[in-house]
PDB file of all heavy atoms in Angstrom:
ATOM      1  N   LYS A   1      58.534 -12.347 -26.889  1.00 90.00           N
ATOM      2  CA  LYS A   1      58.353 -11.004 -26.344  1.00 90.00           C
ATOM      3  C   LYS A   1      58.657 -10.984 -24.840  1.00 90.00           C
ATOM      4  O   LYS A   1      59.199 -10.006 -24.324  1.00 90.00           O
ATOM      5  CB  LYS A   1      56.922 -10.508 -26.602  1.00 90.00           C
ATOM      6  CG  LYS A   1      56.655 -10.196 -28.067  1.00 90.00           C
ATOM      7  CD  LYS A   1      55.295  -9.569 -28.272  1.00 90.00           C
ATOM      8  CE  LYS A   1      55.217  -8.152 -27.701  1.00 90.00           C
ATOM      9  NZ  LYS A   1      56.153  -7.228 -28.328  1.00 90.00           N
ATOM     10  N   ALA A   2      58.319 -12.071 -24.156  1.00 89.00           N
ATOM     11  CA  ALA A   2      58.636 -12.173 -22.735  1.00 89.00           C
ATOM     12  C   ALA A   2      60.149 -12.142 -22.521  1.00 89.00           C
ATOM     13  O   ALA A   2      60.653 -11.472 -21.620  1.00 89.00           O
ATOM     14  CB  ALA A   2      58.040 -13.454 -22.152  1.00 89.00           C
ATOM     15  N   ARG A   3      60.882 -12.860 -23.371  1.00 91.00           N
ATOM     16  CA  ARG A   3      62.346 -12.883 -23.275  1.00 91.00           C
ATOM     17  C   ARG A   3      62.930 -11.496 -23.523  1.00 91.00           C
ATOM     18  O   ARG A   3      63.810 -11.035 -22.802  1.00 91.00           O
ATOM     19  CB  ARG A   3      62.913 -13.869 -24.296  1.00 91.00           C
ATOM     20  CG  ARG A   3      64.436 -14.056 -24.187  1.00 91.00           C
ATOM     21  CD  ARG A   3      65.026 -14.537 -25.520  1.00 91.00           C
ATOM     22  NE  ARG A   3      64.331 -15.692 -26.063  1.00 91.00           N
ATOM     23  CZ  ARG A   3      64.704 -16.960 -25.858  1.00 91.00           C
ATOM     24  NH1 ARG A   3      65.761 -17.216 -25.118  1.00 91.00           N
ATOM     25  NH2 ARG A   3      64.027 -17.945 -26.393  1.00 91.00           N
ATOM     26  N   HIS A   4      62.427 -10.836 -24.544  1.00 92.00           N
ATOM     27  CA  HIS A   4      62.964  -9.524 -24.923  1.00 92.00           C
ATOM     28  C   HIS A   4      62.734  -8.498 -23.804  1.00 92.00           C
ATOM     29  O   HIS A   4      63.650  -7.768 -23.408  1.00 92.00           O
ATOM     30  CB  HIS A   4      62.321  -9.057 -26.221  1.00 92.00           C
ATOM     31  CG  HIS A   4      63.055  -7.936 -26.883  1.00 92.00           C
ATOM     32  ND1 HIS A   4      62.692  -7.427 -28.115  1.00 92.00           N
ATOM     33  CD2 HIS A   4      64.152  -7.208 -26.497  1.00 92.00           C
ATOM     34  CE1 HIS A   4      63.523  -6.448 -28.448  1.00 92.00           C
ATOM     35  NE2 HIS A   4      64.412  -6.298 -27.481  1.00 92.00           N
ATOM     36  N   ILE A   5      61.523  -8.461 -23.286  1.00 90.00           N
ATOM     37  CA  ILE A   5      61.231  -7.444 -22.278  1.00 90.00           C
ATOM     38  C   ILE A   5      61.918  -7.748 -20.956  1.00 90.00           C
ATOM     39  O   ILE A   5      62.242  -6.847 -20.179  1.00 90.00           O
ATOM     40  CB  ILE A   5      59.706  -7.285 -22.086  1.00 90.00           C
ATOM     41  CG1 ILE A   5      59.396  -5.864 -21.566  1.00 90.00           C
ATOM     42  CG2 ILE A   5      59.141  -8.337 -21.144  1.00 90.00           C
ATOM     43  CD1 ILE A   5      57.964  -5.445 -21.749  1.00 90.00           C
ATOM     44  N   SER A   6      62.203  -9.031 -20.689  1.00 91.00           N
ATOM     45  CA  SER A   6      62.933  -9.365 -19.467  1.00 91.00           C
ATOM     46  C   SER A   6      64.348  -8.799 -19.520  1.00 91.00           C
ATOM     47  O   SER A   6      64.849  -8.246 -18.530  1.00 91.00           O
ATOM     48  CB  SER A   6      62.975 -10.879 -19.253  1.00 91.00           C
ATOM     49  OG  SER A   6      63.860 -11.506 -20.154  1.00 91.00           O
ATOM     50  N   GLN A   7      65.003  -8.889 -20.683  1.00 93.00           N
ATOM     51  CA  GLN A   7      66.360  -8.356 -20.803  1.00 93.00           C
ATOM     52  C   GLN A   7      66.373  -6.834 -20.779  1.00 93.00           C
ATOM     53  O   GLN A   7      67.286  -6.223 -20.224  1.00 93.00           O
ATOM     54  CB  GLN A   7      67.029  -8.896 -22.071  1.00 93.00           C
ATOM     55  CG  GLN A   7      67.402 -10.357 -21.949  1.00 93.00           C
ATOM     56  CD  GLN A   7      68.147 -10.885 -23.164  1.00 93.00           C
ATOM     57  OE1 GLN A   7      67.755 -11.891 -23.739  1.00 93.00           O
ATOM     58  NE2 GLN A   7      69.216 -10.233 -23.565  1.00 93.00           N
ATOM     59  N   GLN A   8      65.356  -6.235 -21.347  1.00 92.00           N
ATOM     60  CA  GLN A   8      65.282  -4.776 -21.299  1.00 92.00           C
ATOM     61  C   GLN A   8      65.052  -4.277 -19.874  1.00 92.00           C
ATOM     62  O   GLN A   8      65.547  -3.214 -19.485  1.00 92.00           O
ATOM     63  CB  GLN A   8      64.158  -4.286 -22.214  1.00 92.00           C
ATOM     64  CG  GLN A   8      64.461  -4.463 -23.701  1.00 92.00           C
ATOM     65  CD  GLN A   8      65.691  -3.679 -24.141  1.00 92.00           C
ATOM     66  OE1 GLN A   8      65.717  -2.455 -24.076  1.00 92.00           O
ATOM     67  NE2 GLN A   8      66.726  -4.393 -24.580  1.00 92.00           N
ATOM     68  N   SER A   9      64.339  -5.054 -19.073  1.00 92.00           N
ATOM     69  CA  SER A   9      64.137  -4.660 -17.674  1.00 92.00           C
ATOM     70  C   SER A   9      65.446  -4.748 -16.891  1.00 92.00           C
ATOM     71  O   SER A   9      65.683  -3.948 -15.978  1.00 92.00           O
ATOM     72  CB  SER A   9      63.061  -5.537 -17.026  1.00 92.00           C
ATOM     73  OG  SER A   9      63.475  -6.871 -16.891  1.00 92.00           O
ATOM     74  N   ILE A  10      66.303  -5.688 -17.268  1.00 94.00           N
ATOM     75  CA  ILE A  10      67.622  -5.794 -16.616  1.00 94.00           C
ATOM     76  C   ILE A  10      68.475  -4.580 -16.973  1.00 94.00           C
ATOM     77  O   ILE A  10      69.181  -4.026 -16.121  1.00 94.00           O
ATOM     78  CB  ILE A  10      68.327  -7.101 -17.026  1.00 94.00           C
ATOM     79  CG1 ILE A  10      67.542  -8.305 -16.498  1.00 94.00           C
ATOM     80  CG2 ILE A  10      69.764  -7.124 -16.497  1.00 94.00           C
ATOM     81  CD1 ILE A  10      68.049  -9.644 -17.006  1.00 94.00           C
ATOM     82  N   VAL A  11      68.400  -4.158 -18.240  1.00 93.00           N
ATOM     83  CA  VAL A  11      69.128  -2.954 -18.665  1.00 93.00           C
ATOM     84  C   VAL A  11      68.656  -1.747 -17.864  1.00 93.00           C
ATOM     85  O   VAL A  11      69.461  -0.942 -17.368  1.00 93.00           O
ATOM     86  CB  VAL A  11      68.921  -2.707 -20.181  1.00 93.00           C
ATOM     87  CG1 VAL A  11      69.496  -1.348 -20.578  1.00 93.00           C
ATOM     88  CG2 VAL A  11      69.570  -3.821 -21.002  1.00 93.00           C
ATOM     89  N   LEU A  12      67.344  -1.617 -17.725  1.00 92.00           N
ATOM     90  CA  LEU A  12      66.779  -0.498 -16.973  1.00 92.00           C
ATOM     91  C   LEU A  12      67.203  -0.565 -15.504  1.00 92.00           C
ATOM     92  O   LEU A  12      67.497   0.467 -14.882  1.00 92.00           O
ATOM     93  CB  LEU A  12      65.253  -0.540 -17.083  1.00 92.00           C
ATOM     94  CG  LEU A  12      64.485   0.761 -16.815  1.00 92.00           C
ATOM     95  CD1 LEU A  12      64.943   1.872 -17.737  1.00 92.00           C
ATOM     96  CD2 LEU A  12      62.982   0.517 -16.969  1.00 92.00           C
ATOM     97  N   ALA A  13      67.253  -1.769 -14.963  1.00 93.00           N
ATOM     98  CA  ALA A  13      67.679  -1.949 -13.570  1.00 93.00           C
ATOM     99  C   ALA A  13      69.122  -1.493 -13.383  1.00 93.00           C
ATOM    100  O   ALA A  13      69.460  -0.867 -12.373  1.00 93.00           O
ATOM    101  CB  ALA A  13      67.534  -3.416 -13.169  1.00 93.00           C
ATOM    102  N   ALA A  14      69.980  -1.807 -14.347  1.00 94.00           N
ATOM    103  CA  ALA A  14      71.380  -1.399 -14.256  1.00 94.00           C
ATOM    104  C   ALA A  14      71.516   0.119 -14.261  1.00 94.00           C
ATOM    105  O   ALA A  14      72.284   0.695 -13.483  1.00 94.00           O
ATOM    106  CB  ALA A  14      72.179  -2.008 -15.412  1.00 94.00           C
ATOM    107  N   VAL A  15      70.756   0.779 -15.122  1.00 92.00           N
ATOM    108  CA  VAL A  15      70.815   2.243 -15.218  1.00 92.00           C
ATOM    109  C   VAL A  15      70.416   2.885 -13.892  1.00 92.00           C
ATOM    110  O   VAL A  15      71.129   3.749 -13.363  1.00 92.00           O
ATOM    111  CB  VAL A  15      69.888   2.753 -16.350  1.00 92.00           C
ATOM    112  CG1 VAL A  15      69.787   4.278 -16.299  1.00 92.00           C
ATOM    113  CG2 VAL A  15      70.420   2.299 -17.703  1.00 92.00           C
ATOM    114  N   PHE A  16      69.292   2.462 -13.325  1.00 92.00           N
ATOM    115  CA  PHE A  16      68.828   3.052 -12.070  1.00 92.00           C
ATOM    116  C   PHE A  16      69.727   2.671 -10.897  1.00 92.00           C
ATOM    117  O   PHE A  16      69.904   3.450  -9.952  1.00 92.00           O
ATOM    118  CB  PHE A  16      67.381   2.653 -11.796  1.00 92.00           C
ATOM    119  CG  PHE A  16      66.385   3.508 -12.519  1.00 92.00           C
ATOM    120  CD1 PHE A  16      65.861   3.100 -13.741  1.00 92.00           C
ATOM    121  CD2 PHE A  16      65.987   4.724 -11.999  1.00 92.00           C
ATOM    122  CE1 PHE A  16      64.946   3.895 -14.427  1.00 92.00           C
ATOM    123  CE2 PHE A  16      65.070   5.530 -12.674  1.00 92.00           C
ATOM    124  CZ  PHE A  16      64.557   5.113 -13.896  1.00 92.00           C
ATOM    125  N   GLY A  17      70.308   1.474 -10.940  1.00 94.00           N
ATOM    126  CA  GLY A  17      71.223   1.061  -9.883  1.00 94.00           C
ATOM    127  C   GLY A  17      72.470   1.932  -9.842  1.00 94.00           C
ATOM    128  O   GLY A  17      72.942   2.325  -8.764  1.00 94.00           O
ATOM    129  N   ILE A  18      72.993   2.266 -11.006  1.00 95.00           N
ATOM    130  CA  ILE A  18      74.178   3.125 -11.083  1.00 95.00           C
ATOM    131  C   ILE A  18      73.839   4.541 -10.630  1.00 95.00           C
ATOM    132  O   ILE A  18      74.598   5.168  -9.878  1.00 95.00           O
ATOM    133  CB  ILE A  18      74.745   3.128 -12.520  1.00 95.00           C
ATOM    134  CG1 ILE A  18      75.305   1.735 -12.857  1.00 95.00           C
ATOM    135  CG2 ILE A  18      75.826   4.192 -12.673  1.00 95.00           C
ATOM    136  CD1 ILE A  18      75.668   1.561 -14.309  1.00 95.00           C
ATOM    137  N   LEU A  19      72.706   5.060 -11.081  1.00 94.00           N
ATOM    138  CA  LEU A  19      72.304   6.429 -10.715  1.00 94.00           C
ATOM    139  C   LEU A  19      72.115   6.585  -9.201  1.00 94.00           C
ATOM    140  O   LEU A  19      72.578   7.565  -8.601  1.00 94.00           O
ATOM    141  CB  LEU A  19      71.011   6.808 -11.438  1.00 94.00           C
ATOM    142  CG  LEU A  19      71.128   7.081 -12.939  1.00 94.00           C
ATOM    143  CD1 LEU A  19      69.755   7.337 -13.539  1.00 94.00           C
ATOM    144  CD2 LEU A  19      72.045   8.268 -13.200  1.00 94.00           C
ATOM    145  N   THR A  20      71.445   5.632  -8.568  1.00 92.00           N
ATOM    146  CA  THR A  20      71.221   5.726  -7.126  1.00 92.00           C
ATOM    147  C   THR A  20      72.529   5.566  -6.352  1.00 92.00           C
ATOM    148  O   THR A  20      72.692   6.162  -5.278  1.00 92.00           O
ATOM    149  CB  THR A  20      70.196   4.682  -6.659  1.00 92.00           C
ATOM    150  OG1 THR A  20      70.565   3.377  -7.156  1.00 92.00           O
ATOM    151  CG2 THR A  20      68.806   5.029  -7.141  1.00 92.00           C
ATOM    152  N   GLY A  21      73.458   4.791  -6.895  1.00 93.00           N
ATOM    153  CA  GLY A  21      74.761   4.666  -6.259  1.00 93.00           C
ATOM    154  C   GLY A  21      75.509   5.994  -6.256  1.00 93.00           C
ATOM    155  O   GLY A  21      76.133   6.373  -5.252  1.00 93.00           O
ATOM    156  N   ILE A  22      75.430   6.713  -7.365  1.00 94.00           N
ATOM    157  CA  ILE A  22      76.079   8.025  -7.463  1.00 94.00           C
ATOM    158  C   ILE A  22      75.425   9.015  -6.497  1.00 94.00           C
ATOM    159  O   ILE A  22      76.104   9.804  -5.830  1.00 94.00           O
ATOM    160  CB  ILE A  22      76.006   8.546  -8.916  1.00 94.00           C
ATOM    161  CG1 ILE A  22      76.847   7.656  -9.842  1.00 94.00           C
ATOM    162  CG2 ILE A  22      76.488   9.996  -8.993  1.00 94.00           C
ATOM    163  CD1 ILE A  22      76.683   7.963 -11.318  1.00 94.00           C
ATOM    164  N   ILE A  23      74.102   8.971  -6.416  1.00 91.00           N
ATOM    165  CA  ILE A  23      73.376   9.855  -5.490  1.00 91.00           C
ATOM    166  C   ILE A  23      73.818   9.595  -4.053  1.00 91.00           C
ATOM    167  O   ILE A  23      74.034  10.532  -3.271  1.00 91.00           O
ATOM    168  CB  ILE A  23      71.858   9.649  -5.644  1.00 91.00           C
ATOM    169  CG1 ILE A  23      71.380  10.219  -6.985  1.00 91.00           C
ATOM    170  CG2 ILE A  23      71.094  10.311  -4.482  1.00 91.00           C
ATOM    171  CD1 ILE A  23      69.955   9.874  -7.328  1.00 91.00           C
ATOM    172  N   THR A  24      73.974   8.329  -3.693  1.00 89.00           N
ATOM    173  CA  THR A  24      74.407   7.982  -2.338  1.00 89.00           C
ATOM    174  C   THR A  24      75.798   8.525  -2.046  1.00 89.00           C
ATOM    175  O   THR A  24      76.054   9.069  -0.967  1.00 89.00           O
ATOM    176  CB  THR A  24      74.414   6.456  -2.151  1.00 89.00           C
ATOM    177  OG1 THR A  24      73.128   5.931  -2.463  1.00 89.00           O
ATOM    178  CG2 THR A  24      74.776   6.090  -0.716  1.00 89.00           C
ATOM    179  N   LEU A  25      76.689   8.372  -2.998  1.00 90.00           N
ATOM    180  CA  LEU A  25      78.066   8.836  -2.827  1.00 90.00           C
ATOM    181  C   LEU A  25      78.119  10.328  -2.531  1.00 90.00           C
ATOM    182  O   LEU A  25      78.870  10.777  -1.656  1.00 90.00           O
ATOM    183  CB  LEU A  25      78.873   8.516  -4.097  1.00 90.00           C
ATOM    184  CG  LEU A  25      80.318   9.025  -4.144  1.00 90.00           C
ATOM    185  CD1 LEU A  25      81.153   8.347  -3.056  1.00 90.00           C
ATOM    186  CD2 LEU A  25      80.924   8.789  -5.526  1.00 90.00           C
ATOM    187  N   ILE A  26      77.297  11.088  -3.220  1.00 89.00           N
ATOM    188  CA  ILE A  26      77.372  12.552  -3.119  1.00 89.00           C
ATOM    189  C   ILE A  26      76.487  13.112  -2.007  1.00 89.00           C
ATOM    190  O   ILE A  26      76.873  14.053  -1.308  1.00 89.00           O
ATOM    191  CB  ILE A  26      76.975  13.188  -4.477  1.00 89.00           C
ATOM    192  CG1 ILE A  26      77.929  12.716  -5.582  1.00 89.00           C
ATOM    193  CG2 ILE A  26      76.986  14.710  -4.376  1.00 89.00           C
ATOM    194  CD1 ILE A  26      77.515  13.136  -6.974  1.00 89.00           C
ATOM    195  N   PHE A  27      75.298  12.528  -1.819  1.00 85.00           N
ATOM    196  CA  PHE A  27      74.296  13.161  -0.946  1.00 85.00           C
ATOM    197  C   PHE A  27      73.918  12.336   0.286  1.00 85.00           C
ATOM    198  O   PHE A  27      72.820  12.520   0.822  1.00 85.00           O
ATOM    199  CB  PHE A  27      73.026  13.462  -1.747  1.00 85.00           C
ATOM    200  CG  PHE A  27      73.236  14.376  -2.910  1.00 85.00           C
ATOM    201  CD1 PHE A  27      73.165  13.891  -4.215  1.00 85.00           C
ATOM    202  CD2 PHE A  27      73.508  15.721  -2.722  1.00 85.00           C
ATOM    203  CE1 PHE A  27      73.357  14.735  -5.299  1.00 85.00           C
ATOM    204  CE2 PHE A  27      73.699  16.572  -3.794  1.00 85.00           C
ATOM    205  CZ  PHE A  27      73.623  16.078  -5.088  1.00 85.00           C
ATOM    206  N   ALA A  28      74.784  11.469   0.779  1.00 82.00           N
ATOM    207  CA  ALA A  28      74.437  10.610   1.915  1.00 82.00           C
ATOM    208  C   ALA A  28      73.979  11.416   3.131  1.00 82.00           C
ATOM    209  O   ALA A  28      72.882  11.202   3.671  1.00 82.00           O
ATOM    210  CB  ALA A  28      75.610   9.715   2.284  1.00 82.00           C
ATOM    211  N   GLU A  29      74.814  12.354   3.588  1.00 78.00           N
ATOM    212  CA  GLU A  29      74.456  13.131   4.787  1.00 78.00           C
ATOM    213  C   GLU A  29      73.209  13.990   4.599  1.00 78.00           C
ATOM    214  O   GLU A  29      72.306  13.964   5.454  1.00 78.00           O
ATOM    215  CB  GLU A  29      75.622  14.016   5.248  1.00 78.00           C
ATOM    216  CG  GLU A  29      76.705  13.279   5.990  1.00 78.00           C
ATOM    217  CD  GLU A  29      77.769  12.725   5.049  1.00 78.00           C
ATOM    218  OE1 GLU A  29      77.592  12.876   3.808  1.00 78.00           O
ATOM    219  OE2 GLU A  29      78.745  12.145   5.529  1.00 78.00           O
ATOM    220  N   PRO A  30      73.107  14.763   3.503  1.00 84.00           N
ATOM    221  CA  PRO A  30      71.900  15.585   3.332  1.00 84.00           C
ATOM    222  C   PRO A  30      70.604  14.775   3.328  1.00 84.00           C
ATOM    223  O   PRO A  30      69.593  15.208   3.884  1.00 84.00           O
ATOM    224  CB  PRO A  30      72.126  16.268   1.976  1.00 84.00           C
ATOM    225  CG  PRO A  30      73.604  16.323   1.826  1.00 84.00           C
ATOM    226  CD  PRO A  30      74.104  15.057   2.454  1.00 84.00           C
ATOM    227  N   LEU A  31      70.645  13.587   2.725  1.00 80.00           N
ATOM    228  CA  LEU A  31      69.445  12.753   2.689  1.00 80.00           C
ATOM    229  C   LEU A  31      69.059  12.285   4.088  1.00 80.00           C
ATOM    230  O   LEU A  31      67.874  12.270   4.455  1.00 80.00           O
ATOM    231  CB  LEU A  31      69.665  11.547   1.765  1.00 80.00           C
ATOM    232  CG  LEU A  31      69.695  11.848   0.267  1.00 80.00           C
ATOM    233  CD1 LEU A  31      70.108  10.607  -0.524  1.00 80.00           C
ATOM    234  CD2 LEU A  31      68.344  12.355  -0.220  1.00 80.00           C
ATOM    235  N   LEU A  32      70.040  11.913   4.891  1.00 79.00           N
ATOM    236  CA  LEU A  32      69.756  11.456   6.244  1.00 79.00           C
ATOM    237  C   LEU A  32      69.332  12.603   7.154  1.00 79.00           C
ATOM    238  O   LEU A  32      68.530  12.418   8.077  1.00 79.00           O
ATOM    239  CB  LEU A  32      70.982  10.746   6.833  1.00 79.00           C
ATOM    240  CG  LEU A  32      71.370   9.412   6.177  1.00 79.00           C
ATOM    241  CD1 LEU A  32      72.622   8.853   6.826  1.00 79.00           C
ATOM    242  CD2 LEU A  32      70.235   8.410   6.277  1.00 79.00           C
ATOM    243  N   LYS A  33      69.854  13.801   6.897  1.00 76.00           N
ATOM    244  CA  LYS A  33      69.485  14.956   7.717  1.00 76.00           C
ATOM    245  C   LYS A  33      68.013  15.322   7.557  1.00 76.00           C
ATOM    246  O   LYS A  33      67.426  15.955   8.436  1.00 76.00           O
ATOM    247  CB  LYS A  33      70.365  16.162   7.357  1.00 76.00           C
ATOM    248  CG  LYS A  33      71.782  16.083   7.915  1.00 76.00           C
ATOM    249  CD  LYS A  33      72.603  17.301   7.514  1.00 76.00           C
ATOM    250  CE  LYS A  33      74.021  17.219   8.059  1.00 76.00           C
ATOM    251  NZ  LYS A  33      74.844  18.376   7.613  1.00 76.00           N
ATOM    252  N   LEU A  34      67.428  14.935   6.428  1.00 73.00           N
ATOM    253  CA  LEU A  34      66.000  15.183   6.227  1.00 73.00           C
ATOM    254  C   LEU A  34      65.160  14.510   7.306  1.00 73.00           C
ATOM    255  O   LEU A  34      64.019  14.911   7.556  1.00 73.00           O
ATOM    256  CB  LEU A  34      65.566  14.665   4.851  1.00 73.00           C
ATOM    257  CG  LEU A  34      66.112  15.419   3.628  1.00 73.00           C
ATOM    258  CD1 LEU A  34      65.703  14.689   2.356  1.00 73.00           C
ATOM    259  CD2 LEU A  34      65.606  16.850   3.606  1.00 73.00           C
ATOM    260  N   MET A  35      65.737  13.486   7.945  1.00 67.00           N
ATOM    261  CA  MET A  35      65.020  12.747   8.981  1.00 67.00           C
ATOM    262  C   MET A  35      65.094  13.441  10.334  1.00 67.00           C
ATOM    263  O   MET A  35      64.422  13.034  11.280  1.00 67.00           O
ATOM    264  CB  MET A  35      65.596  11.331   9.108  1.00 67.00           C
ATOM    265  CG  MET A  35      65.606  10.554   7.810  1.00 67.00           C
ATOM    266  SD  MET A  35      63.955  10.130   7.256  1.00 67.00           S
ATOM    267  CE  MET A  35      63.486   8.942   8.476  1.00 67.00           C
ATOM    268  N   GLY A  36      65.929  14.466  10.455  1.00 66.00           N
ATOM    269  CA  GLY A  36      66.048  15.194  11.712  1.00 66.00           C
ATOM    270  C   GLY A  36      66.682  14.387  12.828  1.00 66.00           C
ATOM    271  O   GLY A  36      66.347  14.572  14.008  1.00 66.00           O
ATOM    272  N   ILE A  37      67.633  13.507  12.480  1.00 67.00           N
ATOM    273  CA  ILE A  37      68.222  12.627  13.489  1.00 67.00           C
ATOM    274  C   ILE A  37      69.323  13.323  14.274  1.00 67.00           C
ATOM    275  O   ILE A  37      69.873  14.332  13.860  1.00 67.00           O
ATOM    276  CB  ILE A  37      68.784  11.348  12.822  1.00 67.00           C
ATOM    277  CG1 ILE A  37      69.794  11.698  11.718  1.00 67.00           C
ATOM    278  CG2 ILE A  37      67.670  10.509  12.256  1.00 67.00           C
ATOM    279  CD1 ILE A  37      70.388  10.501  11.023  1.00 67.00           C
ATOM    280  N   GLU A  38      69.656  12.747  15.423  1.00 70.00           N
ATOM    281  CA  GLU A  38      70.693  13.296  16.276  1.00 70.00           C
ATOM    282  C   GLU A  38      72.066  13.064  15.663  1.00 70.00           C
ATOM    283  O   GLU A  38      72.254  12.181  14.826  1.00 70.00           O
ATOM    284  CB  GLU A  38      70.615  12.642  17.665  1.00 70.00           C
ATOM    285  CG  GLU A  38      69.276  12.864  18.361  1.00 70.00           C
ATOM    286  CD  GLU A  38      69.109  12.013  19.616  1.00 70.00           C
ATOM    287  OE1 GLU A  38      70.058  11.277  19.957  1.00 70.00           O
ATOM    288  OE2 GLU A  38      68.039  12.094  20.238  1.00 70.00           O
ATOM    289  N   ALA A  39      73.067  13.846  16.145  1.00 72.00           N
ATOM    290  CA  ALA A  39      74.411  13.813  15.558  1.00 72.00           C
ATOM    291  C   ALA A  39      75.048  12.426  15.614  1.00 72.00           C
ATOM    292  O   ALA A  39      75.654  11.962  14.646  1.00 72.00           O
ATOM    293  CB  ALA A  39      75.306  14.828  16.268  1.00 72.00           C
ATOM    294  N   GLU A  40      74.910  11.726  16.746  1.00 71.00           N
ATOM    295  CA  GLU A  40      75.543  10.414  16.884  1.00 71.00           C
ATOM    296  C   GLU A  40      74.900   9.399  15.933  1.00 71.00           C
ATOM    297  O   GLU A  40      75.575   8.496  15.429  1.00 71.00           O
ATOM    298  CB  GLU A  40      75.459   9.923  18.323  1.00 71.00           C
ATOM    299  CG  GLU A  40      74.040   9.715  18.844  1.00 71.00           C
ATOM    300  CD  GLU A  40      74.017   9.052  20.217  1.00 71.00           C
ATOM    301  OE1 GLU A  40      74.990   8.337  20.543  1.00 71.00           O
ATOM    302  OE2 GLU A  40      73.042   9.256  20.955  1.00 71.00           O
TER     303      GLU A  40
END
């Protein structure tokens, strides 16, 4: 059971890794603007 759940956690990690990568590609500037940082 330890072996099985370890591999399923890797699958879950891949899914979330891909999703966050897509979010970064599309929303990089808007996410950083939430911090109220200067233009430079």
Side-chain angles (χ1 to χ4, degrees):
K1 289 186 69 61
R3 185 204 309 266
H4 196 175
I5 206 162
S6 73
Q7 287 184 233
Q8 290 299 297
S9 67
I10 295 172
V11 171
L12 201 57
V15 171
F16 277 96
I18 293 170
L19 287 176
T20 51
I22 294 172
I23 289 171
T24 304
L25 176 64
I26 300 172
F27 300 109
E29 282 89 356
L31 288 172
L32 293 178
K33 284 180 181 177
L34 292 174
M35 305 291 291
I37 56 180
E38 300 170 2
E40 62 172 335

